[in-house]
Amino acid sequence: MIKKIKLYNILFVAICSLALIITLVPLIWILAEVIANGISAISFSLLTNLPAPPGIPGGGIGNYIQGTIILSAVASLIGFPVGLLMGIFISEYREHKFAPVVRFFVDVFAEFPAIVIGIFVYVIIVRGDIFKLFGINALCLGSICIGPTGFSAIAGSISLALLMIPIVTKSVEEALNLVPTSIKEAALAMGMPRWRMVLTISLSYARGGLILSYILALSRIAGEAAPLLLTVLGSFYWFTSFYDRIGALPLAIFTYGLSPYEDYRAQAWAASLLLILVVLILNIALRILIERRMIR
Amino acid sequence: MSRLVLSIVIVAIVAIGGVAYWMLSNNPGTSGSQGSQPIRISGAGSTFVTYFLQTAAYYYQQKYGVEVDYASIGSGAGIQQFLANAVDFGATDVPLSTQAWQQAGDALHIPEAIGGVVLTYNIPDLPPNTHLNFTGEVIADIYLGKITKWNDPALVKLNPILANINQPITTVHRSDGSGTTGVFTDYLSSVSQEWAQTVGSGLSVNWPGTNSLGGKGSEGVASAVKNTPYSIGYVEFTYALKNNINYGYVENPSTGEFVAPTIESISKTVSYVALSLPRGDQDWSSVSMVRTFIQMSKSNHTLFGAYPIVTFTYIVIHKELSKIPNMTKEKAQALVNFLKWLVTDGQQYATNLYYVPLPQSVQNLDLQTLSMVTYNGMNL
Amino acid sequence: MRGDKIFLYILLFISALFVVIVFLLGFELYRGSSSIFDIFGFNFILSSTWDPVRGVFGIAPVILGSFLTCFIALILAIPVALLTSYFISELVPSRLKIYITSLVELLAAVPSVVYGLWGILVLVPFLRDNIYVPLQSAFYFLPGFGGAITGYGILTAGILLAIMILPTITSITKEAIELLPASIKEAAIALGAMRYQSARIIFTHIKLTIIAAIMLGFARAFGEAMAVAMVIGGSHLFPNSIFATGYTLPSLIVNEFTEATSPLHYSALIAAGFVLFVIALANIVVARLIIYRTTRFMRLAI
């Protein structure tokens, strides 16, 4: 009788460990392939050169690295503040009747496949249909004009920013929810205006969580290719202007991966290695932050 | 503490505002000068011509500093993005349809290269460099799904070596809007009644047959054929050569010979066809080297050594370039200069990549077309 | 007081802007697809002809492809995820737990293009040569095992998706298990339950979270564009074998969007995006409903 129980238990543990192995095998396999193929292709010149047409040696992925950095930076500049403010709103002002509406819309938007956001930015900014809707060529304020841009870096940044906003908002909300009400009430009781309390007390208490939100969102958009495909269309040169096209690592991986050229495929592996390293470092930073008492 | 936060917020807002102002005012459309930044031209379209265009652009940038960004996304895309003014120029293997041409209003067609569409296949059992023979009807039947195995009698009749290969054929087609598909289906429609009636020709068709794989761009098709045993696909000639995939000889309907795609055989077709091309700013929708050649073959049986599936590939631009967002006079001039170079000096890069250089008459026509381009009404 | 008002207005302004953008997105999708729906109506969703030459568009096989791939992904991922999460939370010594958890979460952090790259260059040849071909030679007489084997296709995409959503379901379930009061687990042991019985008890308690995790996994799989686009093989026909190629809504858009050959084609693709949007929305609403209904008792009890 006990033997049977022991048998069943061992069987169950065996099945569970099998499940764990099945879960880990693909990860280890992917990492191994990326590292093996990527390392053999990586070199200093690869990281600093511009791409060359297939068959011409000496091509590199330098501009893709630059592109990813620029796109992520600009997207963060737009996306993080907006996400932060919205997160503050639905957390600190949750009694406001508009708050649940905003929360719902953020949830809806968060579930959006990135490709649909790409379509949206393509239609609105790249093609400028919204301008045609109002029958104008561009919206001008003196000499500064906003109009359709064609495929451009700014369109790509905006699409990444849009993608970023719901991630940041939800994460910020979670972080702010953990601020103990007692502290907030104490500040209010001592006569601090509410806005000041939010900006100083809540934000500084949730400092770690905010950094977490940013890192989470950043590691997500650094690897996104779908919206970029429809908004920047890739480029083979260094960055020139926000109204020109721009390259990016995830896009390059997609295009090079689908191509039949061996040298391009090797570069795709190298770019993947780079991306995974970046994402890895960001996630490790995340983990260290969590460890050091900062939230979660 | 709150002072600190407040000042950070204010600095951030000012910074963002400043960056935004800088970005918006750097819009070349408004401020005019881009300073010392190199001029960047954006083009997209046909994957057929990618090898040529990207290589030419690479050398052009080294010589003249102007950066031409060409995205290989398929002729259909090239046309659409051109019509939407999302790029500076489009590239397509098939001329604009009358409807598209009318929609664009002032589209100019500039043929910049000539190439051939070849049938590539991957049959592991065959020794490398085996060139199979195909007739038009057989190719059509394969893609119609009527010939499903490599050892089908019709194929074996042309290629006895296939007799023992009892494997299903996977047909690879373009999943995107493709000029190569346009040329290929033009060919199939010309050689097979059934194809013309059931499927027709176009940049993207309803591919019959159940064992069909879609590849994105000629790159995708080449990739798919290379990696899928017993598959067959159609790509521009260079893709077959550069990727070491076997390609077939196609029957010349005029003489019955099975012709290998080479620079000579493609040039022969061009010289036989000797199309009288319209003026650059007219409607080019009826121009098709493939259709004309097959039509000629019905009555003329002396067109020796010509490879049948041959096409021009075109760059399309607006005559009045100021329509395009972010266009400046400098950029427009740079675009015209690049295109002028491409159809003349740039042709030196064609033969190495197995494209046929433009005959002198076509070069002259192109230069004439390019002289029509204007920016804000002024000729460039 | 005045500072409060200004601050609130700033917050409201930004939030309202965001809501407007979401509305704009829905509106643009609707507007862009109106020409297709005007011409085809519901037939767009029900018919299977995709003929850009003749201007006939139907995405039934694409919708089917989307659901099939997600179905395959869920069938493969759910049992593995549940067992893995139980294993990690209950059966792994706590020293190792952190490392293993990090490893699993790393899987979630890999960008989808890298999954796609690995998919075409490693998974496809592997599945084709080591699994599909032997499978076909063993079972060729069964219906659905015929057809050409390319290695790409719905099954391969489903497998890749399963790998991608595994960490999502696993980590959510694992957290839920860890949050359960120890009393439940102790009670099970006290009653002499065998390991698998304890597992069953625990899972019953966190049923709600498991459902939420599954819906999240479904949403992720349904919306995945890049990785699927790279391995699905692109076909507008209904699958006729388990090795068949096909399309899903997001991968269709990736492959054909910038390359639409006519305004109608373009509109058809936006309409596909619209259908995707509607289904994603429905998923959220259903998830919310389930949570609402099952927590109703808890709220009533209070």
Side-chain angles (χ1 to χ4, degrees), chain A residues 4-6 8-10 12-13 15-17 19-24 26-31 33-34 37 81-82 84-86 88-89 93 96 98 101-109 111-120 122-124 127 129-130 133 151 162 165-166 193-196 198-199 219 223-226 229-230 233 249-251 253-254 256-258 265 268-269 272 275-276 279-280 283 287 291 296, chain C residues 1-5 7-8 10-12 14-16 18-19 21-29 31 79-81 83-84 86-88 91-92 98 100-107 109-115 117-118 120-123 126 163 166-167 170 175 192-196 199 203 215-216 219-220 222-226 229-230 250 253-255 257-258 266 269-270 273-274 276-277 280-281 283-285 288:
Chain A
K4 209 164 89 167
I5 295 181
K6 278 210 169 128
Y8 280 175
N9 280 348
I10 294 180
F12 185 67
V13 173
I15 295 181
C16 284
S17 38
L20 179 68
I21 295 179
I22 296 181
T23 310
L24 292 180
L27 174 70
I28 299 182
W29 195 357
I30 295 179
L31 284 182
E33 289 280 352
V34 171
N37 293 314
V82 172
L84 182 64
L85 287 176
M86 287 176 57
I88 292 178
F89 178 62
Y93 288 80
H96 195 279
F98 198 44
V101 176
V102 176
R103 190 178 292 118
F104 175 69
F105 274 94
V106 169
D107 279 339
V108 165
F109 205 69
E111 303 280 335
F112 267 137
I115 188 90
V116 172
I117 296 180
I119 296 183
F120 177 62
Y122 173 77
V123 168
I124 299 260
R127 265 175 100 115
D129 276 2
I130 196 173
L133 196 66
F151 291 105
L162 283 178
I165 291 176
R194 187 172 185 183
W195 65 270
R196 216 160 152 189
V198 167
L199 284 182
S219 74
E224 267 298 335
L229 200 62
L230 308 185
L233 210 61
L249 281 174
L251 255 191
I253 297 175
F254 180 68
Y256 282 17
L258 284 180
R265 285 180 167 189
W269 283 118
S272 304
L275 255 190
I276 286 198
V279 164
L280 210 88
N283 271 281
R287 216 150 288 286
E291 211 100 343
R296 291 277 189 98
Chain C
M1 283 302 115
R2 208 186 55 189
D4 275 346
K5 268 213 165 121
F7 189 60
L8 189 61
I10 296 178
L11 293 182
L12 278 176
I14 300 273
S15 307
F18 180 73
V19 171
I21 290 182
V22 179
F23 262 122
L24 199 61
L25 197 152
F27 173 67
E28 278 297 326
L29 282 180
R31 196 169 70 90
V80 175
L83 290 176
T84 307
Y86 182 74
F87 187 78
I88 298 180
L91 302 174
V92 167
I98 306 182
I100 300 208
T101 314
S102 313
L103 270 182
V104 172
E105 309 217 333
L106 204 60
L107 203 56
V110 174
S112 41
V113 271
V114 176
Y115 273 111
L117 185 71
W118 177 80
I120 33 170
L121 297 184
V122 177
L123 188 65
F126 173 78
I163 300 178
L166 252 183
T170 307
E175 256 182 57
M194 289 188 272
R195 283 235 157 91
Y196 79 87
F203 283 137
M215 304 211 82
L216 202 63
R220 168 119 203 243
F222 202 77
E224 177 51 51
M226 305 308 282
M230 290 165 98
I253 300 175
V254 165
N255 274 336
F257 192 77
T258 42
Y266 172 70
L269 292 170
I270 297 194
F274 183 68
L276 188 58
F277 162 58
L281 209 63
N283 187 39
I284 304 175
V285 171
R288 283 277 174 106

Side-chain angles (χ1 to χ4, degrees), chain B residues 73 77 80 176 204 214 216 227, chain C residues 53 128 148 233 237 255 258-260:
Chain B
I73 56 179
Q80 280 308 302
D176 49 336
S204 188
K216 194 163 141 67
N227 292 313
Chain C
V53 173
R128 182 185 65 219
L237 300 170
N255 274 336
T258 42
E259 306 166 2

Side-chain angles (χ1 to χ4, degrees), chain B residues 128-139:
Chain B
N129 289 328
T130 310
H131 299 287
L132 299 176
N133 292 329
F134 295 100
T135 64
E137 297 81 38
V138 162
I139 303 176

Side-chain angles (χ1 to χ4, degrees), chain A residues 176-243:
Chain A
L176 287 178
N177 281 346
L178 287 164
V179 176
T181 7
S182 50
I183 297 191
K184 296 195 278 190
E185 285 171 355
L188 289 174
M190 290 205 279
M192 195 184 263
R194 187 172 185 183
W195 65 270
R196 216 160 152 189
M197 180 272 291
V198 167
L199 284 182
T200 54
I201 308 289
S202 304
L203 284 193
S204 61
Y205 194 92
R207 221 175 7 222
L210 298 185
I211 299 180
L212 208 107
S213 325
Y214 178 61
I215 294 183
L216 208 69
L218 190 65
S219 74
R220 171 80 203 275
I221 62 167
E224 267 298 335
L228 293 181
L229 200 62
L230 308 185
T231 52
V232 307
L233 210 61
S235 161
F236 297 112
Y237 304 101
W238 297 114
F239 170 77
T240 47
S241 139
F242 277 102
Y243 292 93

Side-chain angles (χ1 to χ4, degrees), chain C residues 99-183:
Chain C
Y99 298 116
I100 300 208
T101 314
S102 313
L103 270 182
V104 172
E105 309 217 333
L106 204 60
L107 203 56
V110 174
S112 41
V113 271
V114 176
Y115 273 111
L117 185 71
W118 177 80
I120 33 170
L121 297 184
V122 177
L123 188 65
V124 164
F126 173 78
L127 283 180
R128 182 185 65 219
D129 298 331
N130 300 325
I131 308 224
Y132 292 169
V133 172
L135 214 59
Q136 182 173 68
S137 31
F139 295 111
Y140 60 88
F141 44 88
L142 288 178
F145 277 80
I149 301 181
T150 58
Y152 300 96
I154 295 189
L155 188 56
T156 309
I159 295 177
L160 191 59
L161 282 177
I163 300 178
M164 292 171 79
I165 63 174
L166 252 183
T168 313
I169 306 182
T170 307
S171 49
I172 297 181
T173 318
K174 171 180 109 27
E175 256 182 57
I177 297 180
E178 284 172 351
L179 283 172
L180 270 185
S183 50

Side-chain angles (χ1 to χ4, degrees), chain B residues 51-132:
Chain B
Y51 271 111
F52 175 57
L53 265 183
Q54 283 182 350
T55 309
Y58 180 74
Y59 290 114
Y60 190 76
Q61 191 262 340
Q62 291 183 341
K63 271 207 177 84
Y64 299 97
V66 169
E67 300 174 342
V68 177
D69 242 337
Y70 180 70
S72 179
I73 56 179
S75 304
I79 297 177
Q80 280 308 302
Q81 301 310 335
F82 160 70
L83 291 174
N85 290 337
V87 290
D88 300 327
F89 70 87
T92 163
D93 318 320
V94 166
L96 293 180
S97 66
T98 309
Q99 191 193 30
W101 178 75
Q102 281 169 343
Q103 188 187 338
D106 62 349
L108 300 174
H109 283 81
I110 301 168
E112 87 274 20
I114 300 174
V117 178
V118 305
L119 273 313
T120 56
Y121 43 86
N122 176 350
I123 304 176
D125 318 48
L126 296 178
N129 289 328
T130 310
H131 299 287
L132 299 176

